[in-house]
Amino acid sequence: MKFSPLDLFLKARKNTLPENILVCMAAALTSTFYFYEYQYEKFFPIREPILLCMTGAIFLIWISCSFFAGRDGRFGFAVFTFVYWAVPFVYTLYYAGRDNVRQYNKWLSLINKAFTAMLSNPFSTVAEKTNTVPQTYAALLVMISLAVYMLGFFIMRRLDEKYGDDNGNYDGEYSGEVGDRVAMLESDDAEEMMEIIKNNKGKNQPLMFGNNDSKKNDPPDLRSAVGLVSEESTESSDELPEAAETSDGQREDYDQLIDDVLGKKG
C-alpha cells in the first residue's frame, strides 16, 4: 500500500517526549565518547570518517525529531534542544572568564570538562575540516532544529484547520459519514448482516430476527366462533398488539441498519 507524503506526515506514529529526548541524546553522546577512541587508529584510519558520519547523523536525527515534535505539539522538545546545547556553552564561557588559578575548584573544573566534551566533541572533526569552532555547529543545529519545529507545528495546525472545517473534529484520520460506514463494515455485526442479506437475496419472504420456528395452524375454536371467549384468550389477545408493535420496531431498526450498511446514494 502506497502513501502520499501528506498521509505519512499525518498518520505517522506519534513519539512521546522522552522517546525523542533519548534518541537525540544517544546520537550526541555516542559521538562525544567515540571522540576518545584511538585504539585502532594506527591500524585502520577510520576514526575521522566515523566522526564525520556521526556529525551528519546528529543533524539528521535531531532535525527529524524536531519536525515530528512540532507536528505533535511537543513544546518540551524545543526547550530540551535549547537547554542541551545552550547550558554547556554558557557555562564554558563563565568558566573561561573566572580566575581558575587562584580560585581553583575541582568540581567546577570537572563540570567544565564534561560540558566541553558534550559541546565540542561531536563537532570537533568537522570544525577542523572547515577551519571554524565546534560551537558554530552547535548553534547552527539549535537554530535549524527550532526552525523545523515551528515549521512542523504550523503545517499541522494549518492542516487541522483545513480538514476540521470539512469533517468536524479532525484527528489525523478520515472521519465523517464515509469513515462511520467503513467502521461499521469492519465490525462483526455488519459482517453477519451482510451474510444475511446475501443468503436471502432474491427471496420474497421477509427477514426475521430471533427464533423463527413456524407453528402449525390449529383448527378453529367453536367458542370463538359463537363469541364465547375465555379470559385467558382475552389476555393473550391483549398482548398481541404489543407483540406486533415490538415486531414493527424490530423491522424499523432492521431497515435502518440495512440503510446504514449499504449507504444511500445521493
Side-chain angles (χ1 to χ4, degrees):
M1 183 179 293
K2 296 182 179 179
F3 294 95
S4 64
L6 180 61
D7 292 334
L8 293 176
F9 176 73
L10 293 175
K11 299 181 180 180
R13 177 181 179 271
K14 293 184 178 181
N15 297 330
T16 61
L17 180 60
E19 288 176 344
N20 289 332
I21 291 176
L22 289 177
V23 169
C24 293
M25 287 185 63
L29 292 178
T30 299
S31 181
T32 296
F33 290 110
Y34 190 80
F35 176 82
Y36 301 105
E37 178 59 55
Y38 292 97
Q39 182 176 357
Y40 303 102
E41 185 64 19
K42 57 183 178 180
F43 302 105
F44 306 100
I46 59 175
R47 175 178 174 274
E48 183 175 299
I50 290 179
L51 286 175
L52 290 175
C53 293
M54 286 183 176
T55 301
I58 292 172
F59 271 83
L60 179 62
I61 293 174
W62 215 292
I63 292 173
S64 300
C65 290
S66 297
F67 185 66
F68 287 106
R71 179 203 64 178
D72 301 336
R74 312 286 188 190
F75 182 72
F77 185 80
V79 176
F80 161 75
T81 300
F82 181 79
V83 170
Y84 185 88
W85 298 107
V87 170
F89 177 72
V90 172
Y91 184 85
T92 53
L93 289 179
Y94 160 75
Y95 190 82
R98 69 187 301 272
D99 188 354
N100 295 302
V101 177
R102 291 181 298 180
Q103 299 178 358
Y104 176 77
N105 187 294
K106 63 179 181 179
W107 294 110
L108 295 180
S109 178
L110 179 63
I111 295 174
N112 180 68
K113 291 180 180 180
F115 281 165
T116 301
M118 290 174 56
L119 182 65
S120 302
N121 289 3
F123 311 113
S124 59
T125 303
V126 67
E128 292 176 359
K129 294 292 183 180
T130 56
N131 296 323
T132 184
V133 294
Q135 288 80 358
T136 302
Y137 288 93
L140 182 64
L141 177 60
V142 172
M143 289 187 294
I144 295 176
S145 298
L146 295 180
V148 170
Y149 174 88
M150 297 303 297
L151 178 64
F153 180 83
F154 285 115
I155 288 177
M156 188 60 189
R157 299 292 86 75
R158 180 67 183 88
L159 293 175
D160 190 28
E161 294 176 358
K162 179 180 178 180
Y163 289 97
D165 294 337
D166 297 335
N167 296 329
N169 296 328
Y170 177 74
D171 57 353
E173 297 182 357
Y174 297 106
S175 59
E177 184 179 358
V178 177
D180 295 340
R181 291 178 181 175
V182 172
M184 179 177 292
L185 289 175
E186 292 178 353
S187 63
D188 296 337
D189 295 338
E191 292 179 359
E192 183 179 357
M193 180 59 62
M194 294 300 296
E195 291 295 331
I196 296 174
I197 295 172
K198 292 179 181 178
N199 295 333
N200 292 274
K201 185 176 182 180
K203 297 181 180 180
N204 296 326
Q205 61 181 3
L207 298 177
M208 301 296 292
F209 288 97
N211 189 4
N212 297 326
D213 297 338
S214 61
K215 297 181 179 179
K216 296 181 179 180
N217 295 327
D218 297 332
D221 190 3
L222 295 177
R223 290 181 300 176
S224 300
V226 298
L228 299 176
V229 182
S230 61
E231 295 181 357
E232 296 179 355
S233 61
T234 304
E235 294 177 358
S236 61
S237 63
D238 293 338
E239 295 177 358
L240 289 177
E242 296 179 359
E245 293 177 1
T246 304
S247 178
D248 293 337
Q250 292 179 351
R251 182 67 59 80
E252 293 178 359
D253 295 338
Y254 170 75
D255 294 338
Q256 182 64 33
L257 183 58
I258 291 296
D259 293 338
D260 292 338
V261 173
L262 299 181
K264 294 181 179 179
K265 295 181 180 181

